[in-house]
Amino acid sequence: MPYNAGLTFMNERLANHPKMDIPKTYDPKQAEEHHYARWEGQGFFAPEINRDPDAPVFSIVIPPPNVTGSLHMGHALQHTMMDVLTRYKRMCGFRTLWLPGMDHAGISTQLVVTRELKKEGIARHDLGRGKFVERVWKWKQESGGQITTQMRREGASVDWSREKFTMDEDLSRVVREVFVRLYDEGLIYRGNRIVNWCPNDQTVLSDLEVEKLPQAGKLYYLRYPVKDSDQLVTVATTRPETMLGDTAVAVNPNDERYTRLVGATILLPLTGREIPVVADEFVDPEFGTGAVKITPAHDPNDYELGLRHDLAQVVVIDQRAKMTQAAGADFVGLDRYKARQKVVEKFEELGLLEKVVDYEFSISKCERCKSVIEPLVSTQWFCRMENLRDLALDLLAREKKPRFVPEVPYEKIYRNWLENLRDWTISRQLWWGHQIPAWYTAEGELVVARNFEEAAARAGTDKLTQDPDVLDTWFSSALWPFSTLGWPENTDDLRTFYPTSVLVTARDIIFLWVSRMVMMGLKFTGERPFDDVFVTGTILDKDGQRMSKTKMNGVDPLDVFDKYGVDATRLTLAAVGTTDIRWNEKQVESYRNFANKIWNAARFCLLNSEGAAVDPQILKATGSDLALHDRWILSRLNKTTLEVRKALAEYDFHQAVQTLYHFFWDDFCDWYIELIKQDVTAEAATPRRTEARTRLLSVLEQALRLLHPFMPYITEDLWQRLPGKQDERMHSAYRGASPTIMLAAFPESVVALVDERAEWEMQAVIDLVSRVRNIRSEMNIKPGDRITVLVGAPDDRLRQVLTASIDQLMRLTRAASVNIQSELSAPRASARAVLAGGAEVAVPLEGLIDFDQERQRLRREQEKLQAEAAKLNAQLGNPQFVERAPHERVDEVRVRIADIEQRTAQLNQTLENLK
RNA sequence: AGGCACGUACGUCAAUGGUAGACGGCUUCCCUUACAAGGAAGAGGUUGGGGGUUCGAGUCCCUCCGUGCCUACCA
C-alpha cells in the first residue's frame, strides 16, 4: 500500500493556509464527500495499517445485514456504536478489525427474486432450480447489497478487503464441514415430526421464525356421538376443519364427569370413523367442556399426545393448506377456511353444533410473509441441542462469558432460553441457501459427506441424488465469527482476531443468533466467539411504536444524513445507549448545531493561527507560571479524557457523548476561547501571542481527536486544516501512514495535569462573572453600558485569584473597572450579590437602580437560600442522622449551612442598607 | 397465562441510597469583530398513586394504575 500517495490530497489544498476562506456555517456534505474514499483507499481500515508487532488486538464481526436489506435506523444505531469502538481502539494503537459482510437471507431473497420473475411472467418452478439460483446470483450482483454503499456513507470503518458473504464458496465449505461433523457425532438427524409449515413460502420454519399474534376468533362446540349409546360428548375447538383428521377424544383422568367414558368409542361425524376416548393429564378440565378432540397430524399438542397413546395420524390438510383425499370426497381440494365453514354447516344440519362463542386466541404466522402457519407432520433435518446447550451454559456458569451489557436482564434471558432449548429444525424447503450435504442412493440409502466425491466414495456409487432441502439461514450465521476468519484452517486471521472482542446487536436476535454463535463457536473452536455482548436500545417512532416496513413509520437514516449530516446523526444515535427511545428529530438538530459550533470554534482558531502551529508538547508543560485559564483547560481536558475513556470501557456511549459535548461547548468555547481571546487576537506578533495561539490550536486538536470516533467527518476535515507537522500527531503504530486523525493517538489522561486548585480558582471567576451578568440582566442594563464592579473578598486566596484575573473579569462582565478589596465598600445605590466563601459583589447604579426592584431581587435570593437551609437544618436536627450518617456527610451539611448563614446575613445587611 | 422492563420538567432522555440534571422548547435582553445553527439571563419537578425499609428513597421492598417487550402446548 503506498502510504504517502494521499499526503498531497488535503495537505496542499488546506493545511498551512489559515487565512483561507472558511464558511461561517458547517456544510456536512462537503466534509462527507472526500474523506471516506481516501480512508478506504489508503487502507486505513485494514489491521495491516498497524505496524506494531506487539499491538493489542480488537475485533468485531458485523452482524451481517440481509443482502436484500437497505439501511434502517437499527443498523445505523449498531454501526455507529461499532464504529465508535473500532475507531477508538484503533486510535489507541490496537490492531483493529471490523469485519463486514452480508447474509444470504434464504427466504427473503428467494421471495424478492420470485416476485421479480413473476413480473416477467415466469414461475419459479418453470425456471427450475439451477436457473433460479443463477438468477439469484445475478440479482445479488446487480441490486443486492446496497447497504454496503450506505455503510460507506455512515463512515463505517470496516475492512472491506475482508468482506464476506454467507454463500461465498469458502463459507459454504465451512457450513458443510460443520454439518458433516455434527452428523457424524449424531447431533444432526433426520426425522419425521410435526413442524411449522408456511403454506405460502412452502417451507418449514423454526419456532423462532413464527410469530404469535392475538386473533379474534370463535370457539366451536361440536357434539360427537358415543358408539352404542345415545350419549353425546361435546368438544370445543377453534379449528373445526381438523375434526376430519381426529383420531381420539381426550379427557383428564381425574375428571369424574368423564370417568365412565374413558375407553369408549366415538363415531366421528362426517367420516364414519371410530375413534377412542383416552385419558391424559394434558387435558385441562376447566377449559371448554373438559373433552378435547385430538388431531395428531395437525396440532403440536395433539401430536405429542398421539405419540403417548399410539394414535394414528390422519393427514387431512396438505402443504398448500388444502384438504386432502383423506378428508373425504365432500372436502377434498377445499381451502382450510372453506372447509371450516362447510364442517360447521354440516354439524349444524346434523344438529351436532352445540354453540359458537367469540374467543380470542393466539395464532402463529410466518414472520416473513404473515401467512397463517399450518402445523404439519413432515420429514425434516434437526439439530440436537442438549450437548451444544451445555457448552454454552457451562461457559456462562464458569467464566461468566459472554458478558452481557447491560447484564440485567439479558444474561438471565439468555440462560433461561438455553435451559428450555428444544431441537432445532435446520432444513428448509427453499432453493436459495446451502443445500444439505446429504445424498441418497437409488435404494434410498442416506450418505452425508462434504461433497459429491466424498459421498460417492462413501456410498460406493455415483448414482446419487442430493437432498433438495437447504439449511436454515441462521445455521451459517451461527458460524460467522469463525467462518469469516478462515476456520477450519488455522489461519493468521483466526489466530489473531478470534475470539472477537465484542458483539453489538439488537435484543431480538439473542436467541436466533447470539446463543447459536456461542454454541457453535465453543463446539468447533473450543473458544467463545466474543467476550462481550452489547445489546443496544431500540429506536421507536414518536408514538412509541416499533419502526417497521409494514407500518410505514420508519425514519430513513439516509434522509436524516441529508438533512443534518452524518456526524450529527451518529452523535444522536450514540447517545441512545441501551434504553429504548422515541425518535426525536430535534435531538439531531441540536447535535447539528453542535457540529456547527465545533466548526466555528475551529474557524476562530484558524483565523488567528498565523505564526503558530499545533504542538502537543505544549500541553504537557505545567507549573504556576501558566495562566489560570491555561492550567484550567488542561485540567478539564485531562478530566474529560479520563471520563470518555472510562465511559467507552463500560460501553456507556451516552455518558461519553454528554461529557464531550459539555467539554467542548461549555469549557472550551464559552470560557477558554473567551479567556484566551485577548492574547490570541493581539495585533502585534509577540511570543506571547504565538504561545497563546499554539496552545489554543493544540487544545482544539486534542478535542478533535476525542471527538473523532463519534464524528469522523468534521474532525478529519478540520484536523487536516490545522497547521503544523501532522506526522507527529500520529500514533506510533501508524508511523509512515499518510496523516489522518483516524490514526492519531487517542489522548491519554495525565493525572498530574488534573489540577483541582485551578478548577476551584476558575470556578470562582466563573461565579463572579455569572453574578454580575445576572445583575446586568435583571436590572436591565444595556449590553453597551460600561459598569463598575466592586468586589469585597475577605479570603486572601480568593482575592488574589480574582485580582490576577482582573482584565478577564472586565472583559467578560463588560465593565469599565473592576475593583477588588478585602472589604466591600459600595454606594447605597448599588445592585449586590453574595458569593460563596463570604465574598460580595456590587455594581453601583446611581440613577439607574430601582430600589424596589433590587429589594425584590435580593429577597428572592434570600428565599432560595432559606428554603435550602431549612432542609439542611431539618436533617441536622435529626439526632439519628448525626449519629448514623457518615461523618463526612454530616460535616458537608454543616459547612453548607454555615455558608448559607453567612450569605443570608450579608443579604440582610444589604437589604438593611437599602432602606 | 406467566416472566421481565419502563413510568422523572411541555418534549426526548440523565442521575454508585446522600442538595433531582442535560438538550430542545418557552420568557426577557442582545445581529458584542468564531458561530443568530449564536451569546447572556430566567421560568418550569411534592420523580404515575398509595404503603413500607432507612438517619436519608427517583433509586431498595410491597401494592395498585398505565405502557412496552419476551416466553408459553390450553383445544
Side-chain angles (χ1 to χ4, degrees), chain A residues 757-789:
Chain A
R757 189 188 169 103
E759 300 223 8
W760 179 88
E761 292 179 1
M762 190 65 202
Q763 198 55 48
V765 171
I766 290 173
D767 283 348
L768 176 58
V769 171
S770 298
R771 301 309 291 173
V772 176
R773 283 173 173 171
N774 176 283
I775 288 171
R776 289 194 83 115
S777 174
E778 303 245 325
M779 304 308 287
N780 291 320
I781 301 168
K782 293 254 177 315
D785 287 352
R786 293 313 221 181
I787 53 169
T788 298
V789 174

mmCIF file of all heavy atoms in Angstrom, chain A residues 757-789:
data_model
loop_
_atom_site.group_PDB
_atom_site.id
_atom_site.type_symbol
_atom_site.label_atom_id
_atom_site.label_comp_id
_atom_site.label_asym_id
_atom_site.label_seq_id
_atom_site.Cartn_x
_atom_site.Cartn_y
_atom_site.Cartn_z
ATOM 1 N N ARG A 757 -6.964 22.676 42.075
ATOM 2 C CA ARG A 757 -6.838 24.067 42.507
ATOM 3 C C ARG A 757 -7.238 25.020 41.383
ATOM 4 O O ARG A 757 -7.982 25.970 41.594
ATOM 5 C CB ARG A 757 -5.389 24.333 42.945
ATOM 6 C CG ARG A 757 -5.229 25.674 43.598
ATOM 7 C CD ARG A 757 -3.764 26.005 43.847
ATOM 8 N NE ARG A 757 -3.663 27.406 44.222
ATOM 9 C CZ ARG A 757 -3.473 27.809 45.470
ATOM 10 N NH1 ARG A 757 -3.348 26.937 46.444
ATOM 11 N NH2 ARG A 757 -3.381 29.109 45.739
ATOM 12 N N ALA A 758 -6.758 24.705 40.194
ATOM 13 C CA ALA A 758 -7.115 25.541 39.046
ATOM 14 C C ALA A 758 -8.626 25.500 38.814
ATOM 15 O O ALA A 758 -9.238 26.505 38.472
ATOM 16 C CB ALA A 758 -6.379 25.057 37.800
ATOM 17 N N GLU A 759 -9.213 24.346 39.003
ATOM 18 C CA GLU A 759 -10.651 24.233 38.780
ATOM 19 C C GLU A 759 -11.419 25.056 39.820
ATOM 20 O O GLU A 759 -12.410 25.706 39.506
ATOM 21 C CB GLU A 759 -11.087 22.758 38.804
ATOM 22 C CG GLU A 759 -10.377 21.950 37.717
ATOM 23 C CD GLU A 759 -11.265 20.974 36.970
ATOM 24 O OE1 GLU A 759 -12.499 21.007 37.169
ATOM 25 O OE2 GLU A 759 -10.723 20.168 36.197
ATOM 26 N N TRP A 760 -10.915 25.017 41.054
ATOM 27 C CA TRP A 760 -11.550 25.802 42.109
ATOM 28 C C TRP A 760 -11.440 27.294 41.796
ATOM 29 O O TRP A 760 -12.396 28.057 41.910
ATOM 30 C CB TRP A 760 -10.885 25.472 43.462
ATOM 31 C CG TRP A 760 -11.449 26.255 44.613
ATOM 32 C CD1 TRP A 760 -12.516 25.900 45.381
ATOM 33 C CD2 TRP A 760 -10.998 27.521 45.100
ATOM 34 N NE1 TRP A 760 -12.762 26.862 46.312
ATOM 35 C CE2 TRP A 760 -11.856 27.873 46.169
ATOM 36 C CE3 TRP A 760 -9.957 28.396 44.738
ATOM 37 C CZ2 TRP A 760 -11.688 29.059 46.893
ATOM 38 C CZ3 TRP A 760 -9.812 29.577 45.457
ATOM 39 C CH2 TRP A 760 -10.672 29.898 46.524
ATOM 40 N N GLU A 761 -10.236 27.698 41.404
ATOM 41 C CA GLU A 761 -9.999 29.113 41.126
ATOM 42 C C GLU A 761 -10.838 29.592 39.942
ATOM 43 O O GLU A 761 -11.437 30.663 39.972
ATOM 44 C CB GLU A 761 -8.504 29.344 40.843
ATOM 45 C CG GLU A 761 -7.640 29.127 42.074
ATOM 46 C CD GLU A 761 -6.148 29.324 41.803
ATOM 47 O OE1 GLU A 761 -5.785 29.646 40.646
ATOM 48 O OE2 GLU A 761 -5.368 29.137 42.737
ATOM 49 N N MET A 762 -10.871 28.769 38.936
ATOM 50 C CA MET A 762 -11.636 29.132 37.750
ATOM 51 C C MET A 762 -13.116 29.228 38.103
ATOM 52 O O MET A 762 -13.832 30.092 37.588
ATOM 53 C CB MET A 762 -11.412 28.078 36.664
ATOM 54 C CG MET A 762 -11.959 28.472 35.329
ATOM 55 S SD MET A 762 -11.127 29.908 34.623
ATOM 56 C CE MET A 762 -12.404 30.427 33.515
ATOM 57 N N GLN A 763 -13.549 28.338 38.964
ATOM 58 C CA GLN A 763 -14.953 28.359 39.361
ATOM 59 C C GLN A 763 -15.294 29.692 40.036
ATOM 60 O O GLN A 763 -16.373 30.237 39.828
ATOM 61 C CB GLN A 763 -15.262 27.176 40.301
ATOM 62 C CG GLN A 763 -16.740 26.858 40.425
ATOM 63 C CD GLN A 763 -17.398 26.617 39.063
ATOM 64 O OE1 GLN A 763 -16.889 25.866 38.244
ATOM 65 N NE2 GLN A 763 -18.502 27.298 38.809
ATOM 66 N N ALA A 764 -14.343 30.209 40.824
ATOM 67 C CA ALA A 764 -14.568 31.491 41.481
ATOM 68 C C ALA A 764 -14.736 32.599 40.439
ATOM 69 O O ALA A 764 -15.608 33.465 40.571
ATOM 70 C CB ALA A 764 -13.402 31.808 42.422
ATOM 71 N N VAL A 765 -13.913 32.554 39.411
ATOM 72 C CA VAL A 765 -14.015 33.551 38.345
ATOM 73 C C VAL A 765 -15.358 33.429 37.639
ATOM 74 O O VAL A 765 -16.065 34.401 37.408
ATOM 75 C CB VAL A 765 -12.860 33.389 37.328
ATOM 76 C CG1 VAL A 765 -13.073 34.278 36.112
ATOM 77 C CG2 VAL A 765 -11.526 33.685 38.005
ATOM 78 N N ILE A 766 -15.712 32.190 37.303
ATOM 79 C CA ILE A 766 -16.974 31.948 36.601
ATOM 80 C C ILE A 766 -18.154 32.423 37.444
ATOM 81 O O ILE A 766 -19.071 33.081 36.949
ATOM 82 C CB ILE A 766 -17.107 30.443 36.250
ATOM 83 C CG1 ILE A 766 -16.099 30.072 35.159
ATOM 84 C CG2 ILE A 766 -18.525 30.103 35.807
ATOM 85 C CD1 ILE A 766 -16.020 28.597 34.840
ATOM 86 N N ASP A 767 -18.096 32.120 38.737
ATOM 87 C CA ASP A 767 -19.188 32.527 39.624
ATOM 88 C C ASP A 767 -19.342 34.044 39.651
ATOM 89 O O ASP A 767 -20.449 34.574 39.559
ATOM 90 C CB ASP A 767 -18.940 32.017 41.056
ATOM 91 C CG ASP A 767 -19.243 30.534 41.180
ATOM 92 O OD1 ASP A 767 -19.855 29.981 40.242
ATOM 93 O OD2 ASP A 767 -18.860 29.932 42.196
ATOM 94 N N LEU A 768 -18.221 34.709 39.782
ATOM 95 C CA LEU A 768 -18.279 36.166 39.864
ATOM 96 C C LEU A 768 -18.863 36.756 38.575
ATOM 97 O O LEU A 768 -19.759 37.610 38.607
ATOM 98 C CB LEU A 768 -16.880 36.748 40.127
ATOM 99 C CG LEU A 768 -16.805 38.281 40.149
ATOM 100 C CD1 LEU A 768 -17.757 38.849 41.217
ATOM 101 C CD2 LEU A 768 -15.400 38.766 40.391
ATOM 102 N N VAL A 769 -18.368 36.273 37.456
ATOM 103 C CA VAL A 769 -18.858 36.772 36.163
ATOM 104 C C VAL A 769 -20.359 36.512 36.047
ATOM 105 O O VAL A 769 -21.122 37.386 35.618
ATOM 106 C CB VAL A 769 -18.093 36.106 34.999
ATOM 107 C CG1 VAL A 769 -18.736 36.440 33.659
ATOM 108 C CG2 VAL A 769 -16.626 36.548 35.009
ATOM 109 N N SER A 770 -20.773 35.320 36.452
ATOM 110 C CA SER A 770 -22.188 34.970 36.348
ATOM 111 C C SER A 770 -23.060 35.874 37.198
ATOM 112 O O SER A 770 -24.135 36.294 36.778
ATOM 113 C CB SER A 770 -22.405 33.515 36.784
ATOM 114 O OG SER A 770 -21.695 32.657 35.939
ATOM 115 N N ARG A 771 -22.571 36.202 38.401
ATOM 116 C CA ARG A 771 -23.354 37.065 39.286
ATOM 117 C C ARG A 771 -23.510 38.463 38.677
ATOM 118 O O ARG A 771 -24.582 39.056 38.716
ATOM 119 C CB ARG A 771 -22.693 37.204 40.674
ATOM 120 C CG ARG A 771 -22.481 35.925 41.437
ATOM 121 C CD ARG A 771 -23.722 35.080 41.534
ATOM 122 N NE ARG A 771 -24.740 35.685 42.375
ATOM 123 C CZ ARG A 771 -25.965 35.231 42.519
ATOM 124 N NH1 ARG A 771 -26.322 34.141 41.854
ATOM 125 N NH2 ARG A 771 -26.832 35.828 43.295
ATOM 126 N N VAL A 772 -22.447 38.946 38.130
ATOM 127 C CA VAL A 772 -22.513 40.285 37.544
ATOM 128 C C VAL A 772 -23.426 40.281 36.320
ATOM 129 O O VAL A 772 -24.239 41.186 36.123
ATOM 130 C CB VAL A 772 -21.108 40.803 37.174
ATOM 131 C CG1 VAL A 772 -21.205 42.155 36.473
ATOM 132 C CG2 VAL A 772 -20.257 40.921 38.428
ATOM 133 N N ARG A 773 -23.317 39.241 35.507
ATOM 134 C CA ARG A 773 -24.193 39.148 34.327
ATOM 135 C C ARG A 773 -25.645 39.062 34.765
ATOM 136 O O ARG A 773 -26.534 39.624 34.130
ATOM 137 C CB ARG A 773 -23.829 37.907 33.510
ATOM 138 C CG ARG A 773 -22.569 38.096 32.685
ATOM 139 C CD ARG A 773 -22.184 36.779 32.048
ATOM 140 N NE ARG A 773 -21.083 36.945 31.119
ATOM 141 C CZ ARG A 773 -20.444 35.918 30.557
ATOM 142 N NH1 ARG A 773 -20.785 34.664 30.841
ATOM 143 N NH2 ARG A 773 -19.457 36.133 29.709
ATOM 144 N N ASN A 774 -25.843 38.351 35.834
ATOM 145 C CA ASN A 774 -27.187 38.232 36.386
ATOM 146 C C ASN A 774 -27.725 39.610 36.762
ATOM 147 O O ASN A 774 -28.864 39.963 36.442
ATOM 148 C CB ASN A 774 -27.132 37.303 37.609
ATOM 149 C CG ASN A 774 -28.475 37.198 38.292
ATOM 150 O OD1 ASN A 774 -28.855 38.105 39.004
ATOM 151 N ND2 ASN A 774 -29.171 36.108 38.049
ATOM 152 N N ILE A 775 -26.890 40.376 37.428
ATOM 153 C CA ILE A 775 -27.306 41.733 37.816
ATOM 154 C C ILE A 775 -27.619 42.566 36.581
ATOM 155 O O ILE A 775 -28.646 43.225 36.494
ATOM 156 C CB ILE A 775 -26.196 42.410 38.663
ATOM 157 C CG1 ILE A 775 -26.141 41.759 40.047
ATOM 158 C CG2 ILE A 775 -26.442 43.918 38.777
ATOM 159 C CD1 ILE A 775 -24.959 42.189 40.897
ATOM 160 N N ARG A 776 -26.733 42.482 35.605
ATOM 161 C CA ARG A 776 -26.956 43.251 34.355
ATOM 162 C C ARG A 776 -28.317 42.908 33.761
ATOM 163 O O ARG A 776 -29.064 43.779 33.350
ATOM 164 C CB ARG A 776 -25.887 42.907 33.316
ATOM 165 C CG ARG A 776 -24.520 43.419 33.614
ATOM 166 C CD ARG A 776 -23.660 43.302 32.350
ATOM 167 N NE ARG A 776 -23.892 44.431 31.472
ATOM 168 C CZ ARG A 776 -22.977 45.336 31.159
ATOM 169 N NH1 ARG A 776 -21.761 45.231 31.643
ATOM 170 N NH2 ARG A 776 -23.272 46.342 30.376
ATOM 171 N N SER A 777 -28.576 41.617 33.720
ATOM 172 C CA SER A 777 -29.801 41.165 33.080
ATOM 173 C C SER A 777 -31.026 41.591 33.875
ATOM 174 O O SER A 777 -31.969 42.152 33.331
ATOM 175 C CB SER A 777 -29.752 39.645 32.934
ATOM 176 O OG SER A 777 -30.974 39.164 32.447
ATOM 177 N N GLU A 778 -30.978 41.354 35.179
ATOM 178 C CA GLU A 778 -32.146 41.630 35.999
ATOM 179 C C GLU A 778 -32.398 43.131 36.146
ATOM 180 O O GLU A 778 -33.537 43.562 36.314
ATOM 181 C CB GLU A 778 -31.980 40.998 37.377
ATOM 182 C CG GLU A 778 -31.751 39.502 37.281
ATOM 183 C CD GLU A 778 -32.875 38.708 37.882
ATOM 184 O OE1 GLU A 778 -33.448 39.167 38.881
ATOM 185 O OE2 GLU A 778 -33.168 37.625 37.351
ATOM 186 N N MET A 779 -31.346 43.913 36.117
ATOM 187 C CA MET A 779 -31.511 45.347 36.279
ATOM 188 C C MET A 779 -31.655 46.050 34.931
ATOM 189 O O MET A 779 -31.635 47.276 34.856
ATOM 190 C CB MET A 779 -30.324 45.949 37.042
ATOM 191 C CG MET A 779 -30.060 45.319 38.399
ATOM 192 S SD MET A 779 -31.512 45.259 39.478
ATOM 193 C CE MET A 779 -31.654 46.978 39.919
ATOM 194 N N ASN A 780 -31.750 45.238 33.868
ATOM 195 C CA ASN A 780 -31.952 45.788 32.529
ATOM 196 C C ASN A 780 -30.875 46.783 32.113
ATOM 197 O O ASN A 780 -31.157 47.854 31.588
ATOM 198 C CB ASN A 780 -33.320 46.471 32.424
ATOM 199 C CG ASN A 780 -34.430 45.451 32.481
ATOM 200 O OD1 ASN A 780 -34.304 44.382 31.886
ATOM 201 N ND2 ASN A 780 -35.470 45.760 33.218
ATOM 202 N N ILE A 781 -29.652 46.429 32.418
ATOM 203 C CA ILE A 781 -28.554 47.298 31.991
ATOM 204 C C ILE A 781 -28.177 46.921 30.562
ATOM 205 O O ILE A 781 -27.940 45.758 30.258
ATOM 206 C CB ILE A 781 -27.335 47.114 32.920
ATOM 207 C CG1 ILE A 781 -27.746 47.444 34.361
ATOM 208 C CG2 ILE A 781 -26.191 47.998 32.461
ATOM 209 C CD1 ILE A 781 -26.729 47.029 35.381
ATOM 210 N N LYS A 782 -28.128 47.889 29.710
ATOM 211 C CA LYS A 782 -27.845 47.637 28.293
ATOM 212 C C LYS A 782 -26.462 47.010 28.129
ATOM 213 O O LYS A 782 -25.523 47.379 28.841
ATOM 214 C CB LYS A 782 -27.898 48.955 27.512
ATOM 215 C CG LYS A 782 -29.266 49.581 27.435
ATOM 216 C CD LYS A 782 -29.825 49.393 26.040
ATOM 217 C CE LYS A 782 -31.232 49.918 25.875
ATOM 218 N NZ LYS A 782 -32.157 49.577 26.954
ATOM 219 N N PRO A 783 -26.324 46.109 27.177
ATOM 220 C CA PRO A 783 -25.036 45.444 26.970
ATOM 221 C C PRO A 783 -23.903 46.438 26.737
ATOM 222 O O PRO A 783 -22.770 46.190 27.133
ATOM 223 C CB PRO A 783 -25.270 44.592 25.724
ATOM 224 C CG PRO A 783 -26.746 44.425 25.636
ATOM 225 C CD PRO A 783 -27.350 45.637 26.257
ATOM 226 N N GLY A 784 -24.226 47.550 26.118
ATOM 227 C CA GLY A 784 -23.178 48.512 25.812
ATOM 228 C C GLY A 784 -22.778 49.369 27.001
ATOM 229 O O GLY A 784 -21.721 49.978 27.003
ATOM 230 N N ASP A 785 -23.607 49.412 28.018
ATOM 231 C CA ASP A 785 -23.318 50.271 29.173
ATOM 232 C C ASP A 785 -22.129 49.731 29.953
ATOM 233 O O ASP A 785 -22.106 48.583 30.364
ATOM 234 C CB ASP A 785 -24.539 50.328 30.101
ATOM 235 C CG ASP A 785 -25.657 51.168 29.502
ATOM 236 O OD1 ASP A 785 -25.406 51.809 28.464
ATOM 237 O OD2 ASP A 785 -26.766 51.154 30.063
ATOM 238 N N ARG A 786 -21.150 50.617 30.130
ATOM 239 C CA ARG A 786 -19.976 50.229 30.917
ATOM 240 C C ARG A 786 -20.310 50.390 32.383
ATOM 241 O O ARG A 786 -20.836 51.423 32.791
ATOM 242 C CB ARG A 786 -18.785 51.108 30.552
ATOM 243 C CG ARG A 786 -18.291 50.897 29.139
ATOM 244 C CD ARG A 786 -18.142 49.445 28.814
ATOM 245 N NE ARG A 786 -16.920 49.201 28.056
ATOM 246 C CZ ARG A 786 -16.561 48.006 27.623
ATOM 247 N NH1 ARG A 786 -17.309 46.951 27.880
ATOM 248 N NH2 ARG A 786 -15.439 47.845 26.949
ATOM 249 N N ILE A 787 -20.031 49.374 33.172
ATOM 250 C CA ILE A 787 -20.344 49.438 34.595
ATOM 251 C C ILE A 787 -19.069 49.370 35.415
ATOM 252 O O ILE A 787 -17.993 49.084 34.884
ATOM 253 C CB ILE A 787 -21.259 48.267 35.013
ATOM 254 C CG1 ILE A 787 -20.629 46.946 34.554
ATOM 255 C CG2 ILE A 787 -22.664 48.438 34.452
ATOM 256 C CD1 ILE A 787 -21.283 45.729 35.133
ATOM 257 N N THR A 788 -19.220 49.633 36.675
ATOM 258 C CA THR A 788 -18.118 49.445 37.609
ATOM 259 C C THR A 788 -18.466 48.243 38.484
ATOM 260 O O THR A 788 -19.610 48.130 38.936
ATOM 261 C CB THR A 788 -17.949 50.685 38.515
ATOM 262 O OG1 THR A 788 -17.634 51.801 37.683
ATOM 263 C CG2 THR A 788 -16.848 50.477 39.529
ATOM 264 N N VAL A 789 -17.502 47.374 38.674
ATOM 265 C CA VAL A 789 -17.744 46.205 39.520
ATOM 266 C C VAL A 789 -16.888 46.320 40.770
ATOM 267 O O VAL A 789 -15.663 46.485 40.679
ATOM 268 C CB VAL A 789 -17.409 44.904 38.767
ATOM 269 C CG1 VAL A 789 -17.532 43.701 39.696
ATOM 270 C CG2 VAL A 789 -18.311 44.748 37.548
#
